[in-house]
Amino acid sequence: MRCLGVDLGGSGFRLGAFEVETGIPCSGWKNVPHEGCTRPSSIVPRIIDSIQDLGWSGPIGVGFPGAVSKDRILTAPNLGDDWLDFDLKKELNDFHHGHFTMINDCDAVAIAEYNLGSSRNKSGTILTITIGTGIGTTIQNDGDMIPNLEYGRLPHPRMEGALESHISARSRKEEKLSLQQWAERFQEGLEFLENLTEPDMIVLYGGILEHWDTFSGLISSNVKIEPAQFGAEAGALGAAIAVSKL
């Protein structure tokens, strides 16, 4: 089955169609950075243009950077309050004709990894952490997912502000931290999340994995840590898989 996946993030969006049983892309791939403004009025027309460029008509799944319930946006911390209750399903109806779903973006990555990637069919509790503009967290228990956890928004155990404001990729860039300096911060956050969720396995996802050979030696856990198998396409693929299961 072929489905289109859209991965909408704090710095841009990615989209493409996949054979969801295998994860193999079956269309062109779009990676589009935001042009400063992150309001729906700026981003949604560009998503529509990208879908039109692919000539797509069929099921669409969207991974959104916030809490989502029944395709309704509840929080949008990295995009702004203009997204709250914005009806993206309606805006894209000409393409999906009712076959649509929207889920949290980290949940989408976790779905891709559990179905086809690093945590495929693993039993027990799996914690997936996405490292980007913010910090996404997903828990799966024997494949059953607890949606919209967003533990990255919790207060940091020691420092002022949210956890993600100190251990995200954005914080590393803004504070110009070396990989070693940032890894020390991330380790503290990792220990906090591990104690909170008591996982049997941890999957990490994000651009930082391009440094995995070095980064993996700078962090530790009481359980196995695996890098996500899928790269930039993980969120879009997971969203595509999610809509295929409706």
Side-chain angles (χ1 to χ4, degrees):
M1 181 177 183
R2 294 185 175 188
C3 298
L4 184 80
V6 181
D7 178 17
L8 177 54
S11 59
F13 67 85
R14 307 178 180 111
L15 62 82
F18 300 88
E19 294 282 0
V20 294
E21 294 84 2
T22 62
I24 296 174
C26 58
S27 75
W29 176 252
K30 298 285 187 177
N31 186 354
V32 183
H34 299 324
E35 294 181 338
C37 178
T38 59
R39 294 188 180 96
S41 58
S42 176
I43 294 174
V44 174
R46 303 176 76 210
I47 293 176
I48 290 172
D49 287 346
S50 296
I51 297 174
Q52 288 176 331
D53 286 347
L54 297 183
W56 179 259
S57 178
I60 296 177
V62 177
F64 184 84
V68 178
S69 177
K70 297 179 180 178
D71 301 329
R72 180 169 164 254
I73 298 167
L74 304 179
T75 66
N78 294 311
L79 288 179
D81 289 347
D82 285 356
W83 285 90
L84 302 183
D85 291 327
F86 180 79
D87 195 347
L88 185 58
K89 179 179 182 179
K90 180 180 178 180
E91 293 295 322
L92 301 182
N93 187 67
D94 287 347
F95 303 102
H96 61 71
H97 312 292
H99 200 168
F100 175 93
T101 195
M102 182 163 51
I103 59 176
N104 173 266
D105 58 348
C106 183
D107 293 349
V109 171
I111 288 171
E113 291 298 321
Y114 186 79
N115 281 269
L116 297 168
S118 295
S119 56
R120 184 172 186 174
N121 298 328
K122 292 289 195 301
S123 60
T125 300
I126 300 167
L127 169 64
T128 300
I129 302 173
T130 59
I131 308 162
T133 304
I135 291 290
T137 53
T138 298
I139 286 289
Q140 292 159 299
N141 293 305
D142 295 330
D144 293 331
M145 186 173 67
I146 304 171
N148 298 319
L149 289 181
E150 298 214 288
Y151 284 158
R153 305 289 294 171
L154 292 176
H156 191 282
R158 183 179 56 83
M159 303 170 74
E160 185 176 348
L163 184 68
E164 67 181 10
S165 66
H166 300 286
I167 69 170
S168 66
R170 172 190 276 176
S171 69
R172 181 191 175 207
K173 180 179 180 180
E174 289 179 346
E175 298 183 45
K176 299 178 180 176
L177 300 174
S178 68
L179 184 61
Q180 174 76 47
Q181 290 171 321
W182 180 81
E184 290 175 1
R185 281 206 194 170
F186 186 80
Q187 178 64 37
E188 186 174 17
L190 181 64
E191 291 173 3
F192 171 78
L193 292 171
E194 184 177 350
N195 290 334
L196 181 66
T197 60
E198 298 183 340
D200 298 299
M201 177 184 179
I202 297 172
V203 176
L204 299 182
Y205 169 83
I208 192 68
L209 296 187
E210 68 185 53
H211 305 292
W212 180 250
D213 288 347
T214 302
F215 178 53
S216 61
L218 300 176
I219 59 172
S220 62
S221 169
N222 293 320
V223 300
K224 188 175 184 180
I225 302 176
E226 288 281 358
Q229 178 176 316
F230 293 100
E233 74 274 21
L237 172 58
I241 293 172
V243 74
S244 76
K245 295 182 180 294
L246 294 181

